[in-house]
Amino acid sequence: MSYTEKLVGRITNFKRDSIPSNVIEHTKMFILDSVGCAIGGYATGPGKEIVAQAKEFSGAGKASLIGDGNKVSAPFACWANSSLANVLDMDDVFAGTAHQGNCLVPTALGIGESRKKSGLEVLQAIILGFEVGSRIMMYCWPSPSKARTYFPSTWQVFDAVTVTGVLLGLSERQLYHAFGLAGTVPPLPIDMQKFVERPMGFSKNVFGWTAFTGVFWTKMAQKGARGTPRIFDGDAGFWAIMGSDYHDFEKLLEELGGKYNILETKYKPYPLCTWGHTSVDGFKKILEENNIRSKDIESINVKTLKRAVDFLSSPKMETIYDAQFSLPHALSMIALGKKPGPEWMSEENMFHNQDATAIAQKVTMEIDSAAEEIFDKEKGLAIPATVEVKTADGKIYVASVKYSKGTPNNPFDVKELKDKFETLASSVFSERRIENIISAIERLDELKDISEFTDLLRKE
């Protein structure tokens, strides 16, 4: 039996009722975070473009657009909501590189709503999708020489396949073909050297197509379409399709059903690529502990991962996506006391704030080879950074951070996750509606129809 067949068999025979209660409760907050990011994304200019595009597609099996509330064809609702969830680049991270929530949650909500699934069924599908996707990621984790390849959007197509297949009740054979179909035509991997060229465009946000592709081909398999056989196996398996130079077939099944990787989710406090978060934490720590004002800063030096230096060092910004890949901009926002979220991405703060520009120009970055080794050893969980701030009076302050805020080693508590949600959701909803959304998520496993929750995500 091939590894592809073994994995599909484990999915269809997975005892979803045996998922531990702590995993269910964690996943509720995982959903809260993803939905909050999508609401925050809806409040931006690109968010309005996404919703306008999705409204052109209607059909059977409709689902709601987060923030807007209009219902469109379910695959396009999944596309739009997935895209919204990544607009601010504030969504969850796994293993230092993958954003799984922006695919899993919109897909589960979209398919679940169109099929009138219960809240518990949606929760279970998200959990299983995360466990399958994270293992596919580890089965094809590239070597450091391939680190520039931006690959989550490629393998996360299987997140969407798993969620959709589970909620549609596909047979083992149908799901096998769904994997073979979607795995043949996933979104193309992008070399990050090209991906981050300024000005960065909407194509940075490829996750919507990951969700759409998974949903589309899973529905095709349900209708009887046959996929490429044994998609994960052999020298031409998916690991090669997505551009990796490594594969370990055993990792596809490793502890599936025993160890829950979703508990290792990192939640992001800043609308910034995760590779810069430890640097921001270190800078914030220096300012707060020493009462340093923005006008007192003479210089800021950061030593961290090579990839962070390569991709996050530019202060130049023309688009919202440039800002998400600019550590100098993030540090300027911290220095000026701006609240992380849409405020960081406002046109005023990105393009017209002279104080922010002045601070950003004081930032330099250097490669720390030891940090890169630790990142690879811990599979992206640790992102070491050392920040040095020199003030106008000649004093030098230094802080080193290994695990950024929000990682399992330095986690958010439930209150902090709710606070983040409230900040993002307040750009669209009233305080009362926000309270109702949070309450609905807390009792999601009691809802008979997930529409009771998605109905709360329409604009007031």
Side-chain angles (χ1 to χ4, degrees):
M1 182 181 290
S2 69
Y3 281 94
T4 305
E5 291 170 309
K6 290 178 182 178
L7 178 61
V8 171
R10 294 281 288 275
I11 295 169
T12 55
N13 292 305
F14 192 89
K15 292 181 173 56
R16 283 173 271 164
D17 291 339
S18 68
I19 296 173
S21 59
N22 68 310
V23 177
I24 293 289
E25 293 306 310
H26 175 92
T27 305
K28 291 177 182 178
M29 293 301 100
F30 182 80
I31 293 171
L32 180 77
D33 190 71
S34 296
V35 170
C37 290
I39 296 170
Y42 171 74
T44 67
K48 298 299 188 294
E49 295 166 1
I50 290 165
V51 169
Q53 175 77 348
K55 285 181 179 178
E56 296 186 10
F57 299 92
S58 61
K62 292 183 178 182
S64 301
L65 297 171
I66 292 176
D68 179 88
N70 276 277
K71 295 180 185 291
V72 300
S73 176
F76 280 98
C78 295
W79 168 79
N81 293 334
S82 176
S83 299
L84 290 174
N86 187 245
V87 164
L88 289 174
D89 208 341
M90 212 169 171
D91 41 329
D92 63 281
V93 180
F94 176 73
T97 188
H99 304 276
Q100 292 208 86
N102 66 36
C103 176
L104 291 166
V105 175
T107 301
L109 292 179
I111 301 303
E113 182 182 1
S114 69
R115 296 296 173 128
K116 299 188 180 302
K117 296 295 182 178
S118 70
L120 180 59
E121 288 174 305
V122 167
L123 279 162
Q124 293 170 338
I126 290 170
I127 293 165
L128 186 50
F130 193 105
E131 299 312 312
V132 171
S134 60
R135 284 163 175 79
I136 292 172
M137 174 189 185
M138 292 306 180
Y139 130 91
C140 55
W141 182 281
S143 70
S145 65
K146 281 281 188 178
R148 295 192 336 181
T149 303
Y150 187 64
F151 63 95
S153 58
T154 308
W155 62 260
Q156 282 178 206
V157 69
F158 299 114
D159 286 14
V161 170
T162 302
V163 167
T164 306
V166 166
L167 290 174
L168 293 181
L170 264 61
S171 68
E172 188 169 324
R173 197 63 187 164
Q174 288 173 321
L175 189 60
Y176 172 84
H177 286 299
F179 272 92
L181 288 163
T184 307
V185 288
L188 185 70
I190 303 172
D191 189 311
M192 284 200 70
Q193 194 67 45
K194 191 67 178 175
F195 167 71
V196 297
E197 286 184 4
R198 276 16 181 202
M200 293 172 62
F202 182 81
S203 55
K204 170 258 178 190
N205 189 342
V206 295
F207 296 101
W209 284 117
T210 303
F212 183 91
T213 302
V215 171
F216 180 90
W217 289 109
T218 304
K219 291 173 74 69
M220 281 293 292
Q222 186 184 37
K223 292 176 173 60
R226 297 178 63 87
T228 299
R230 301 175 296 281
I231 190 66
F232 298 116
D233 295 83
D235 293 338
F238 182 76
W239 66 274
I241 293 172
M242 63 142 276
S244 181
D245 57 353
Y246 168 85
H247 62 280
D248 182 345
F249 297 130
E250 294 297 329
K251 289 189 179 298
L252 288 169
L253 308 172
E254 191 172 70
E255 297 185 87
L256 182 59
K259 179 177 182 292
Y260 286 87
N261 290 339
I262 196 169
L263 298 177
E264 297 178 7
T265 300
K266 172 193 172 179
Y267 296 105
K268 297 175 71 174
Y270 315 116
L272 171 75
C273 173
T274 191
W275 297 336
H277 281 216
T278 43
S279 301
V280 177
D281 285 344
F283 180 66
K284 185 178 180 181
K285 176 180 168 64
I286 290 172
L287 298 192
E288 291 177 348
E289 291 185 354
N290 299 283
N291 296 315
I292 297 173
R293 298 170 298 178
S294 60
K295 65 180 183 180
D296 297 329
I297 298 171
E298 182 175 304
S299 65
I300 307 164
N301 180 258
V302 175
K303 296 179 181 179
T304 187
L305 304 179
K306 181 180 185 301
R307 66 195 72 194
V309 177
D310 288 346
F311 304 139
L312 308 183
S313 60
S314 176
K316 297 180 180 179
M317 298 178 294
E318 293 185 39
T319 71
I320 188 175
Y321 307 112
D322 292 338
Q324 296 161 14
F325 279 75
S326 176
L327 182 62
H329 175 68
L331 298 184
S332 76
M333 293 293 97
I334 290 293
L336 296 173
K338 304 298 182 182
K339 184 170 285 191
E343 185 177 11
W344 282 26
M345 301 297 132
S346 69
E347 291 200 3
E348 170 62 27
N349 284 324
M350 288 191 295
F351 309 129
H352 308 301
N353 190 324
Q354 294 182 354
D355 291 334
T357 300
I359 295 169
Q361 290 175 345
K362 297 176 181 180
V363 179
T364 57
M365 298 183 69
E366 298 179 37
I367 296 169
D368 180 352
S369 58
E372 196 73 27
E373 292 174 6
I374 293 170
F375 177 89
D376 289 323
K377 182 179 180 181
E378 298 201 22
K379 295 299 184 185
L381 181 61
I383 304 176
T386 298
V387 182
E388 179 182 286
V389 175
K390 183 178 181 180
T391 53
D393 59 6
K395 293 181 179 179
I396 296 176
Y397 304 87
V398 179
S400 295
V401 180
K402 183 178 181 181
Y403 301 106
S404 60
K405 180 64 177 177
T407 64
N409 306 72
N410 185 14
F412 277 131
D413 57 31
V414 171
K415 182 182 182 304
E416 288 172 317
L417 281 170
K418 289 181 179 179
D419 288 344
K420 175 186 172 181
F421 178 83
E422 289 171 2
T423 297
L424 293 170
S426 64
S427 58
V428 178
F429 295 128
S430 66
E431 184 177 336
R432 180 63 181 273
R433 176 65 68 83
I434 291 171
E435 290 175 355
N436 290 339
I437 293 171
I438 293 174
S439 176
I441 289 179
E442 290 177 329
R443 55 186 179 84
L444 203 64
D445 49 338
E446 302 172 9
L447 301 185
K448 300 301 182 184
D449 186 338
I450 195 63
S451 295
E452 295 178 49
F453 170 64
T454 56
D455 284 348
L456 293 171
L457 304 180
R458 66 181 184 275
K459 61 186 176 184
E460 298 176 273

